[in-house]
């Protein structure tokens, strides 16, 4: 007799990711809201229960009942909810209402807005009735909103604010069923933003671990270990944050770990839907791209470099009796107008202008001055602080004052510094130390602004400049700068001939037109970044079509003055190119 044939083994089937949990569209949620006589489960009572049972966006049923609390409703609660003692008279007691609600919610995931409040009252009610708490899985829409809704979208995470944001079909009104209906719409809106959350298990993990960061680490997938610039983008395509790094993958991964303690970054990560990246040849190229992207998109979670339009210049006006003016939008190529300095803000430019007025008796009034004068002298003129062209007209004496001021601002700052520091010494001798410090800081603002402008102008004059910096691993980083703008970057590897790489870089670099007005062909901060890179030890000039030099009597000679101000501001040194920020 032959042995029986072996039993046929079932075919192995590879499970899907959804087999690892319960898909959200298959799970039933009961969204509940309570009204009570106060905020303490131990001493206050439930007055109304409202709930909506949903699955896959479809409403399966609703539950609503008033509850006689057995105690009077406080007047302030009655005013808030509209629930009065008369409305509760004859309504079911909690002993009857609670079992009915628990039957309605059986087998579902419980959802509430500020769930700790609602579940604490329900747990206390079960305890008083000697009933076991069903151990619901609980989702709190407040916690979800904190991680999925930014502070610039809503002023707070209250139900009414979120209902407006997500255009809920029901307006919350501090009544249980209406608020539960509104919470349903809020829940659906939040789930639509929770990318990567596909199952109930994902959702619960998102709510309770690492502020949801662990569930979003998949956003790092595809980001390489290379220098470049990265962008966090929300579901609507808005850029939330821009950064750069020598190792983008390591840097981006750090945002999803517990080591990231910044609240704004935690909020940003919870809102982001994707991380986009661009690989760059060098760290300098990545930093420049970062500045340009920040200026273009103005991401809400970037703090610096988002307001380049705040930069300001000083201008000597083109009129018979010129005066100093602060300009934020200079007119390109306007004849007769001199723009000097480069300041991070209008307030800094005004401080620098005060320093010039301390040194030179320029007029400060904004009125048009007639060639014959004829006006009475102002207080500044009587104090000897103004040459008063309004009295005698714009004569040769005033023209000489203007010429001296122009020379100091554009060529040699020595005379201006000497006069202002003389004023500082005079005030100090009179023990007027606060006034002396003000004068010193005004001068420091002027020196910083002029130094920025002179360094930028030296680079802008170069139609093309190619420089090389040695790499730690061997070879060279190469940059091509045209009129103060990064036009291209490349790397020559260890042992690789450099000049062919230089020739290819020059041939493929961006064409940049020479600027017709003050400043460079790039953002002021980009030009400053290039200046700092070029001044690093070991950087070599490979090619330039014009001399790269600063004026002998320029502002750099007086750098100790802006060092004083930098130390006073706690910057630890002269951050010369914080435009438009200057914050530490």
């Amino acid at each position: 007799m032959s042995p029986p044939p072996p039993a046929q083994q079932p075919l192995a089937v590879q499970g899907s990711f959804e087999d690892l949990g319960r898909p959200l569209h298959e799970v039933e949620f009961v969204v509940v809201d309570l009204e009570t006589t106060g905020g303490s489960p131990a001493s206050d009572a439930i007055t109304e229960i409202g709930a909506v049972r949903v699955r896959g966006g479809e409403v399966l049923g609703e539950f609503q009942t008033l509850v006689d609390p057995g105690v009077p409703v406080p007047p302030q609660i009655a005013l808030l909810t509209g629930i009065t003692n008369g409305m509760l008279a004859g309504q079911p007691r909690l002993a009857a209402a609670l079992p009915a609600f628990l039957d309605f919610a059986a087998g579902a995931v419980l959802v509430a807005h500020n769930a700790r409040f609602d579940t604490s009252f329900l747990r206390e009610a079960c305890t008083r009735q000697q009933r076991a708490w069903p151990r619901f899985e609980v989702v709190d829409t407040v916690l979800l909103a904190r991680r999925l809704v930014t502070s610039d979208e809503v002023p707070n995470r209250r139900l009414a604010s979120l209902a407006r944001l997500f255009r809920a079909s029901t307006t919350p009104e501090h009544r249980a069923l209406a608020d539960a209906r509104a919470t349903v719409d809020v829940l659906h809106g939040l789930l639509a933003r929770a990318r990567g959350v596909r199952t109930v298990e994902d959702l619960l993990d998102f709510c309770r671990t690492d502020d949801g960061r662990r569930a979003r680490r998949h956003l790092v997938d595809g980001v390489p270990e290379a220098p470049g610039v990265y962008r966090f983008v929300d579901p609507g395509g808005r850029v939330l944050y821009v950064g750069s790094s020598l190792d983008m993958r390591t840097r981006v991964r750090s945002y999803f770990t517990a080591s990231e303690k910044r609240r704004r970054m935690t909020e940003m990560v919870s809102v982001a839907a994707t991380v986009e990246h661009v690989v760059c040849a060098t760290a300098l190229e990545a930093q420049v791209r970062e500045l340009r992207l920040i200026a273009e998109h103005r991401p809400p979670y970037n703090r610096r470099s988002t307001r380049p339009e705040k930069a300001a210049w000083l201008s000597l006006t083109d009129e018979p009796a010129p005066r100093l003016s602060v300009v934020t939008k200079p007119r390109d190529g306007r004849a007769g107008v001199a723009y000097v300095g480069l300041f991070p803000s209008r307030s800094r430019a005004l401080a620098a202008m005060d320093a010039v007025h301390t040194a030179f008796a320029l007029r400060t009034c904004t009125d048009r001055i007639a060639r014959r004068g004829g006006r009475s002298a102002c207080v500044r003129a009587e104090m000897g602080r103004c040459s008063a062209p309004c009295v005698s007209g714009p004569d040769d004496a005033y023209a000489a004052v203007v010429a001296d001021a122009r020379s100091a601002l554009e060529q040699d700052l020595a005379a201006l510094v000497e006069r202002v520091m003389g004023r500082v010494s005079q005030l100090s001798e009179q023990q007027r130390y606060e006034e002396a410090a003000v004068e010193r800081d005004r001068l420091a603002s002027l020196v910083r602004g002029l130094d920025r402008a002179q360094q930028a102008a030296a680079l802008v004059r170069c139609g093309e400049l190619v420089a090389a910096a040695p790499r730690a691993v061997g070879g060279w980083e190469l940059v091509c700068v045209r009129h103060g703008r990064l036009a291209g970057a490349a790397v020559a590897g260890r042992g690789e001939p450099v000049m062919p790489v230089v020739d290819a870089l020059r041939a493929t670099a961006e064409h940049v037109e020479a600027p017709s007005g003050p400043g460079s062909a790039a953002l002021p901060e980009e030009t400053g970044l290039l200046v700092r890179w070029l001044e690093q030890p070991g950087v070599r000039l490979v090619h330039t079509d014009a001399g790269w030099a600063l004026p002998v009597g320029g502002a750099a000679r007086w750098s100790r003055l802006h060092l004083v101000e930098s130390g006073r501001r706690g910057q630890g040194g002269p951050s010369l190119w914080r435009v438009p920020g200057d914050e530490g």
Side-chain angles (χ1 to χ4, degrees):
M1 182 175 179
S2 61
Q8 185 176 2
Q9 298 295 323
L11 295 175
V13 178
Q14 181 177 355
S16 67
F17 284 111
E18 290 190 349
D19 292 335
L20 301 178
R22 294 163 289 166
L24 290 176
H25 66 273
E26 295 180 2
V27 174
E28 295 185 7
F29 295 91
V30 167
V31 182
V32 62
D33 184 80
L34 303 181
E35 299 302 331
T36 66
T37 59
S40 172
S43 57
D44 295 304
I46 297 173
T47 59
E48 186 178 25
I49 304 174
V52 181
R53 193 174 183 111
V54 295
R55 180 184 61 208
E58 179 184 358
V59 176
L60 303 179
E62 293 184 341
F63 178 93
Q64 189 274 336
T65 181
L66 291 170
V67 179
D68 183 355
V71 295
V73 178
Q76 67 272 18
I77 298 297
L79 182 63
L80 177 67
T81 64
I83 299 175
T84 64
N85 293 317
M87 293 171 58
L88 299 177
Q91 297 295 333
R93 300 297 294 266
L94 189 59
L98 180 63
F101 167 72
L102 294 178
D103 288 342
F104 177 81
V109 175
L110 211 59
V111 180
H113 196 72
N114 189 15
R116 181 178 297 180
F117 175 86
D118 299 277
T119 57
S120 65
F121 272 89
L122 292 172
R123 285 173 181 270
E124 178 67 21
C126 286
T127 300
R128 292 182 180 180
Q129 296 184 22
Q130 298 182 345
R131 181 185 296 271
W133 172 248
R135 301 182 63 84
F136 288 106
E137 294 172 309
V138 179
V139 173
D140 191 341
T141 51
V142 170
L143 295 180
L144 285 176
R146 286 174 182 167
R147 292 158 196 173
L148 295 172
V149 178
T150 63
S151 54
D152 61 339
E153 291 181 288
V154 290
N156 51 58
R157 271 68 173 190
R158 294 176 180 172
L159 181 58
S161 300
L162 296 172
R164 285 192 295 269
L165 174 66
F166 292 113
R167 299 181 180 180
S169 57
T170 304
T171 301
E173 54 184 22
H174 294 290
R175 290 299 302 270
L177 184 57
D179 289 6
R181 289 169 174 167
T183 305
V184 169
D185 292 335
V186 169
L187 174 66
H188 290 156
L190 292 170
L191 291 178
R193 294 188 174 200
R195 298 298 178 91
V197 176
R198 301 179 179 87
T199 66
V200 171
E201 289 73 19
D202 289 339
L203 181 60
L204 297 174
D205 186 60
F206 183 84
C207 290
R208 64 174 173 251
T209 62
D210 293 333
D211 297 332
R213 284 175 285 183
R214 181 178 302 171
R216 307 179 70 76
R217 288 179 183 172
H218 66 281
L219 297 181
V220 184
D221 297 345
V223 179
E225 297 177 351
V229 60
Y230 53 87
R231 300 185 294 180
F232 285 83
V233 183
D234 73 3
R238 181 182 57 160
V239 176
L240 299 171
Y241 182 78
V242 176
S244 64
S245 176
L246 279 170
D247 184 347
M248 288 188 290
R249 185 174 183 82
T250 300
R251 183 69 187 99
V252 172
R253 185 188 295 145
S254 70
Y255 292 100
F256 297 90
T257 65
S259 62
E260 178 55 76
K261 302 297 185 182
R262 294 173 294 175
R263 181 176 177 181
R264 285 176 58 82
M265 291 298 98
T266 300
E267 181 182 275
M268 181 274 295
V269 167
S270 69
V271 177
T274 58
V275 179
E276 300 173 352
H277 69 274
V278 177
V279 176
C280 300
T282 67
L284 177 65
E285 180 188 356
Q287 292 169 343
V288 168
R289 285 182 179 271
E290 177 187 9
L291 291 174
R292 294 177 183 176
L293 287 171
I294 290 174
E296 176 185 355
H297 297 287
R298 295 191 179 182
Y301 291 93
N302 283 94
R303 291 190 180 277
R304 69 177 184 90
S305 309
T306 59
R307 300 292 300 276
E309 73 280 1
K310 289 177 62 179
W313 289 260
L314 289 182
S315 167
L316 275 168
T317 59
D318 181 23
E319 52 186 319
R323 59 181 175 83
L324 281 176
S325 174
V326 174
V327 178
T328 56
K329 294 182 179 179
R331 301 181 184 180
D332 295 348
R334 186 178 178 185
V337 179
Y339 297 100
V340 295
L342 178 56
F343 303 92
S345 64
R346 180 178 177 84
S347 61
R348 289 297 186 88
L350 289 171
M353 185 167 66
D354 288 338
V356 179
H357 288 149
T358 297
F360 300 103
L362 294 171
R363 72 184 183 97
T364 59
C365 56
T366 58
D367 297 336
R368 285 279 182 180
I369 303 297
R371 291 187 178 276
R372 294 185 179 182
R375 297 187 181 181
S376 57
C378 63
V379 174
R380 278 178 51 85
E382 293 176 352
M383 296 172 60
R385 304 284 297 276
C386 177
S387 300
C390 57
V391 177
S392 58
D395 52 13
D396 293 341
Y398 188 74
V401 172
V402 173
D404 289 344
R406 187 188 298 269
S407 175
L409 294 172
E410 296 180 350
Q411 300 176 25
D412 192 341
L413 199 59
L416 189 151
V417 172
E418 181 179 350
R419 295 182 187 184
V420 176
M421 292 309 294
R423 174 65 175 164
V424 171
S425 298
Q426 179 185 8
L427 292 171
S428 298
E429 291 171 359
Q430 298 172 4
Q431 298 186 1
R432 297 160 63 184
Y433 300 118
E434 291 185 359
E435 295 176 60
V438 170
E439 293 287 352
R440 179 204 63 195
D441 291 346
R442 288 172 175 172
L443 178 59
S445 291
L446 176 64
V447 171
R448 287 164 65 86
L450 292 179
D451 195 28
R452 287 188 185 96
Q454 290 168 2
Q455 292 194 55
L459 197 57
V460 171
R461 283 193 293 270
C462 298
E464 181 178 85
L465 182 149
V466 179
R471 304 174 70 206
V473 296
W476 297 87
E477 289 186 4
L478 302 168
V479 300
C480 179
V481 180
R482 291 175 175 170
H483 298 298
R485 179 181 175 88
L486 181 65
V491 172
R494 186 183 183 92
E496 181 181 2
V498 175
M499 292 313 298
V501 180
V502 171
D503 294 338
L505 175 61
R506 293 180 62 191
T508 57
E510 175 189 2
H511 173 72
V512 179
E513 294 286 347
S516 57
S520 71
L523 297 170
E525 195 168 359
E526 176 180 333
T527 303
L529 184 63
L530 296 174
V531 169
R532 289 201 303 275
W533 187 90
L534 290 168
E535 291 180 341
Q536 291 181 119
V539 174
R540 302 182 184 182
L541 290 183
V542 179
H543 164 78
T544 179
D545 63 355
W548 182 40
L550 297 175
V552 174
R557 176 182 174 188
W558 309 99
S559 60
R560 67 180 186 274
L561 293 173
H562 56 69
L563 273 168
V564 168
E565 190 195 33
S566 295
R568 182 180 64 83
R569 288 170 56 81
Q571 295 178 13
S575 180
L576 298 181
W577 288 95
R578 288 287 188 184
V579 178
D582 263 5
E583 60 269 13

